[in-house]
């Protein structure tokens, strides 16, 4: 799967659940995802878009796994394939908010794991 590919590459993932009939999705496509700054930063991620315009039975498993209630839903996953729940987006956000979440996700990905004995 794309997510396991991301884990192999040790890159975080942006999972974008979207649909053609979803107005906020269209606005974010134009105003956020096509923004040069966002495009540039997104190269550090594996970007996956799931188009829910026409629902397929094989989508149900992934929708259930990520508990997707509707669109837009944008899920940020760390390089180990775990979702960063605090970064999830389930409404329209602007470019600044989206960049902030991308940076938070990258910061989390690049900070070394804490040493257990506190040294």
């Amino acid at each position: 799967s794309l997510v396991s590919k991301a884990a192999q590459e040790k890159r975080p993932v942006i999972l974008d659940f979207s649909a053609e009939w979803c107005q906020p999705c269209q606005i974010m496509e134009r105003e956020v995802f096509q923004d040069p700054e966002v495009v540039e930063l997104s190269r550090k991620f594996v970007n996956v878009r799931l188009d829910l315009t026409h629902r397929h039975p094989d989508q149900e498993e992934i929708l259930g796994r990520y508990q997707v209630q509707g669109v837009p839903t944008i899920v940020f996953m760390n390089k180990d394939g775990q979702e960063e729940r605090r970064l999830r987006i389930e409404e329209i956000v602007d470019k600044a908010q989206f960049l902030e979440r991308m940076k938070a996700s990258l910061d989390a990905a690049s900070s070394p794991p804490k040493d257990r004995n506190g040294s």
Side-chain angles (χ1 to χ4, degrees), residues 14 30-45 47 94-103 106:
I14 298 175
R30 284 195 310 273
E31 296 181 5
V32 177
F33 298 136
Q34 292 178 8
D35 181 86
E37 225 180 318
V38 172
V39 169
E40 184 60 37
L41 199 54
S42 72
R43 297 198 175 111
K44 299 185 180 195
F45 293 84
N47 297 279
D94 63 21
K95 175 190 132 174
Q97 291 170 298
F98 195 73
L99 282 168
E100 202 176 285
R101 311 245 175 151
M102 291 173 89
K103 287 171 184 161
L106 289 170

Side-chain angles (χ1 to χ4, degrees), residues 19-86:
E20 283 171 22
W21 42 260
C22 163
Q23 209 61 45
C25 302
Q26 303 309 323
I27 295 168
M28 284 184 65
E29 175 60 41
R30 284 195 310 273
E31 296 181 5
V32 177
F33 298 136
Q34 292 178 8
D35 181 86
E37 225 180 318
V38 172
V39 169
E40 184 60 37
L41 199 54
S42 72
R43 297 198 175 111
K44 299 185 180 195
F45 293 84
V46 175
N47 297 279
V48 183
R49 172 166 291 174
L50 284 103
D51 187 349
L52 305 178
T53 303
H54 309 288
R55 293 287 285 270
H56 305 291
D58 58 349
Q59 292 171 339
E60 298 308 317
E61 190 266 331
I62 196 161
L63 294 176
R65 188 181 339 151
Y66 295 106
Q67 299 169 338
V68 174
Q69 305 298 324
V71 287
T73 297
I74 299 165
V75 173
F76 290 84
M77 281 154 61
N78 66 23
K79 56 190 192 305
D80 302 315
Q82 304 299 314
E83 179 182 353
E84 309 263 7
R85 280 298 297 213
R86 69 199 165 84

